Amino acid sequence: MTFAPVSTCDRALIYSFTARYAGNSADLTMHSLFCWGETYPSFWCLEDGFLIIRIHFPEPGGIYYSIPMGSGDLTPQQPDESSTFIPLPCRGDICHLIKKLKQDAQSLGAELRFLGGNDQTREAVRKTLPHYGRYYLRSNSDYIYSRSDLQSLKGRKYQPKRNHLNHFLANYDYIVEPLTKERTAECLQMLEEWENEHIARITALSSQPDKVNDSASEYLKELEREKVCIKRAFGNWDQLGLRGIVLYAKEKRSEEREGTGNKLAAFCYGSAINENTFCTHIEKALESVTGSYAAINQLFAKSLPPQFTFINREDDLGHTGLRTAKESYHPSGVEHKFIMAPMSTQMQQIRSLWLECFPEEQSEDAEQFLFTRFKPEKMLCHNENGRVVSMLHIIEFINTVHGNTVSNTTGSSAKSNTEGTTKSSMEAATKSSAENSYKYAYIYAVATSKEYRKKGIAGALIEQAIDKCRKEGFNFVCLIPSDNHLREWYKKYGFTVSRPVSFHTSDEYDFGTGDDSRNEAAILPLSGESPEEETTLYLSDPLP
């Protein structure tokens, strides 16, 4: 099994696989694989009729493989009970490929982890590797839009966008041209102006002047990595199959002023993910030309060939302002980028207990929590014969209604940008809110295996949790009983106050019941104070 660096010569071969098997994710486009290659080196291998992409991320051991893409045999053999891997000889199928990929990962000092795939291929990996779990990171999920929505902006929900666009149309004469190789130098000059605008805004809006230099330094590094990506795209424009537009704007009546005229106000470009989905990779517009973001967005949607019915505008990288901007265009869906990775023995036992006690949930629900939220030091459990038979998890929240309301604005990302305020200002607002709010310990996923119930095990864990939360300075402990019988049972431990509760998490993980009308928290005060009198308790993530 030999991996080769991704080059522009590989575009046709890679696209023939990714267009059929990679869904609507932007990560396996040639732009992502090649243009971001200096930051995230990418390699490919064609083995037994399957294409595998290997991507190297900067962190130690940060190597991920695409789930094999192809039309070969996806039916795994029964796993060997004495080993986590299947024995050979099944050649030409996903079982044999996984064996080879494990060896390749080990040779690089990494564990075998997968990115992407569709439901069929992920299920094949799950059956082949039963100790693996899957999860996604909300910050890496792509936003998918209806192309017709973006080009028409019809309906009340798009009124704010139409307002921005109408302001641009009322104040500027404009010209739209295709983005060609001949115009790339001019785009790079505009990119410099765009960067200067953003660095100036970071400095002006920083609430911690003594840390401006550090913030600006990190932001400059992000911008520099993106600039390298853009230059690679411009230098290989035709080979990568990119298409884009440029927007020139001139203030109306500006001919009365000396030296005024058409100015490059925005540019954007992208490439096809498959036959019906196009991806906008880069979109830049000058904030000094008000409304230019709304204009370039709509004009680019209009410029695309008619077969593209959906537009992927990539992820938000966890930047709240960028998420707000992308959501303001009302995506028709979100493309989660799943990761499949091995689970520890403890995680596997928790998953088994979870599914036993919460049969209405799927493996994916437990795995999403275990990979993204689980902290061993925040779990209390009871073990019998080396197996977790009872557990609970303590999750820290703050009540942002009691303190200052957190503003939902942050800075723009280097990889994909829209207008917004700085990330540092969001963190400062969140910190201020946390300092003025009560700390809540939320007891989550209380579960005991059926054969160990009515032995006082869960009650003992609840008492330990209350004591732990008191020592750690929480103001309140709360939980959501699943029925009235349990609500009465929890009252003997002091959970006598009830409030409707709403959870607000950075990754949108739902800690409730799945039905907002049933999210009624039982609360135990620890600080001698009564919980807030708001109709609904709003619990939000504190800063990490």
Side-chain angles (χ1 to χ4, degrees):
M1 176 171 275
T2 303
F3 282 86
V6 170
S7 75
T8 55
C9 300
D10 308 319
R11 174 190 159 209
L13 184 148
I14 290 176
Y15 180 81
S16 69
F17 284 89
T18 58
R20 294 178 62 190
Y21 302 107
N24 288 320
S25 170
D27 284 357
L28 296 182
T29 62
M30 278 299 295
H31 178 270
S32 293
L33 296 174
F34 178 78
C35 297
W36 286 96
E38 290 197 18
T39 304
Y40 313 107
S42 299
F43 303 82
W44 69 275
C45 174
L46 193 60
E47 188 81 5
D48 296 333
F50 289 92
L51 174 72
I52 304 101
I53 303 292
R54 190 180 74 201
I55 304 176
H56 294 228
F57 290 86
E59 68 269 16
I63 294 175
Y64 293 83
Y65 297 79
S66 68
I67 290 181
M69 294 172 280
S71 56
D73 185 5
L74 293 175
T75 305
Q77 292 182 341
Q78 290 298 314
D80 181 359
E81 293 183 358
S82 64
S83 171
T84 57
F85 277 84
I86 343 183
L88 296 177
C90 53
R91 297 193 63 83
D93 63 15
I94 199 169
C95 309
H96 183 52
L97 280 176
I98 287 175
K99 183 78 171 180
K100 290 182 176 181
L101 291 173
K102 183 188 179 186
Q103 294 170 347
D104 186 76
Q106 288 177 335
S107 71
L108 297 170
E111 63 181 5
L112 178 60
R113 292 178 291 184
F114 293 102
L115 279 174
N118 54 37
D119 289 341
Q120 182 186 18
T121 53
R122 284 193 294 269
E123 186 60 24
V125 171
R126 184 187 293 280
K127 290 181 178 178
T128 305
L129 304 172
H131 67 299
Y132 269 50
R134 78 166 197 177
Y135 66 101
Y136 65 88
L137 300 176
R138 178 63 181 83
S139 59
N140 293 337
S141 299
D142 289 342
Y143 293 81
I144 310 297
Y145 302 84
S146 163
R147 183 262 189 89
S148 62
D149 285 348
L150 293 187
Q151 66 182 17
S152 68
L153 298 178
K154 290 182 179 179
R156 179 178 295 180
K157 65 182 181 181
Y158 285 110
Q159 184 63 53
K161 300 303 176 186
R162 293 199 300 274
N163 291 342
H164 287 297
L165 181 60
N166 289 337
H167 178 91
F168 176 83
L169 297 176
N171 290 277
Y172 295 93
D173 293 319
Y174 70 92
I175 299 173
V176 180
E177 298 285 353
L179 201 172
T180 61
K181 290 175 64 175
E182 291 71 27
R183 292 189 170 98
T184 57
E186 191 176 6
C187 290
L188 289 175
Q189 289 179 349
M190 194 213 89
L191 183 63
E192 295 288 342
E193 185 176 352
W194 179 90
E195 290 179 356
N196 291 336
E197 282 185 348
H198 281 66
I199 295 300
R201 185 156 52 82
I202 285 178
T203 304
L205 292 176
S206 175
S207 60
Q208 297 175 296
D210 57 322
K211 295 186 178 181
V212 167
N213 290 337
D214 290 341
S215 298
S217 176
E218 181 56 36
Y219 190 65
L220 281 171
K221 290 177 183 177
E222 289 187 19
L223 294 180
E224 191 59 37
R225 288 191 288 266
E226 184 186 50
K227 189 185 296 184
V228 170
C229 166
I230 294 173
K231 287 181 177 179
R232 294 194 88 182
F234 286 169
N236 298 272
W237 187 260
D238 295 331
Q239 299 94 313
L240 291 170
L242 300 171
R243 64 181 299 140
I245 61 171
V246 292
L247 174 65
Y248 296 92
K250 179 177 68 173
E251 283 190 81
K252 292 183 177 180
R253 297 184 299 276
S254 64
E255 64 274 4
E256 300 172 2
R257 305 177 210 163
E258 184 178 353
T260 60
N262 285 327
K263 175 180 181 178
L264 182 57
F267 72 86
C268 69
Y269 66 80
S271 66
I273 293 179
N274 49 48
E275 291 182 353
N276 64 5
T277 304
F278 194 89
C279 183
T280 300
H281 297 305
I282 296 292
E283 179 183 88
K284 300 294 182 187
L286 296 177
E287 293 183 4
S288 56
V289 182
T290 305
S292 55
Y293 267 111
I296 193 77
N297 189 300
Q298 186 198 50
L299 292 167
F300 192 43
K302 287 183 175 181
S303 75
L304 296 177
Q307 74 264 25
F308 295 112
T309 55
F310 294 99
I311 297 176
N312 180 323
R313 298 193 67 222
E314 299 201 354
D315 53 35
D316 59 40
L317 297 178
H319 291 203
T320 310
L322 193 55
R323 178 171 298 181
T324 300
K326 289 181 182 288
E327 289 179 342
S328 71
Y329 273 98
H330 306 285
S332 58
V334 175
E335 181 83 2
H336 293 312
K337 303 169 187 177
F338 288 97
I339 299 170
M340 298 197 74
M343 305 176 72
S344 67
T345 299
Q346 185 185 47
M347 291 171 73
Q348 294 177 66
Q349 291 180 1
I350 293 171
R351 178 177 63 180
S352 296
L353 181 59
W354 188 300
L355 296 178
E356 176 192 346
C357 298
F358 311 115
E360 71 280 4
E361 298 199 9
Q362 305 295 317
S363 293
E364 291 82 358
D365 300 316
E367 292 161 6
Q368 185 69 25
F369 172 80
L370 287 168
F371 278 108
T372 63
R373 290 286 187 163
F374 171 59
K375 296 180 180 179
E377 70 275 13
K378 295 294 184 181
M379 181 184 77
L380 299 179
C381 64
H382 181 85
N383 296 275
E384 290 283 347
N385 301 318
R387 179 169 69 95
V388 176
V389 299
S390 186
M391 68 175 182
L392 61 80
H393 303 265
I394 301 173
I395 313 297
E396 180 179 346
F397 285 99
I398 57 173
N399 179 15
T400 54
V401 171
H402 176 76
N404 298 324
T405 301
V406 178
S407 172
N408 197 24
T409 53
T410 68
S412 51
S413 129
K415 188 175 177 182
S416 179
N417 291 274
T418 56
E419 294 135 320
T421 56
T422 66
K423 185 178 180 183
S424 60
S425 65
M426 169 62 183
E427 291 176 343
T430 308
K431 182 178 180 182
S432 174
S433 177
E435 290 172 347
N436 290 281
S437 296
Y438 286 139
K439 287 176 59 181
Y440 276 76
Y442 179 60
I443 296 181
Y444 183 60
V446 182
T448 303
S449 184
K450 187 174 182 179
E451 61 186 298
Y452 291 95
R453 293 173 189 171
K454 297 184 179 180
K455 298 179 182 293
I457 296 174
L461 292 182
I462 291 291
E463 290 176 338
Q464 292 176 39
I466 293 171
D467 185 59
K468 178 178 176 66
C469 293
R470 183 176 285 110
K471 290 177 179 177
E472 293 181 0
F474 285 94
N475 302 102
F476 301 96
V477 182
C478 65
L479 45 79
I480 299 179
S482 59
D483 56 41
N484 288 332
H485 173 73
L486 282 174
R487 188 172 295 276
E488 290 300 315
W489 183 76
Y490 282 118
K491 283 183 179 179
K492 68 181 182 180
Y493 297 100
F495 293 88
T496 56
V497 180
S498 292
R499 292 280 189 278
V501 61
S502 176
F503 295 96
H504 301 266
T505 59
S506 57
D507 58 359
E508 299 181 358
Y509 183 84
D510 184 7
F511 280 99
T513 62
D515 179 357
D516 290 344
S517 66
R518 295 177 55 215
N519 287 347
E520 186 77 16
I523 304 172
L524 165 65
L526 295 180
S527 59
E529 300 179 73
S530 297
E532 300 84 325
E533 293 298 329
E534 287 84 6
T535 302
T536 299
L537 187 66
Y538 291 91
L539 298 184
S540 300
D541 285 317
L543 283 174

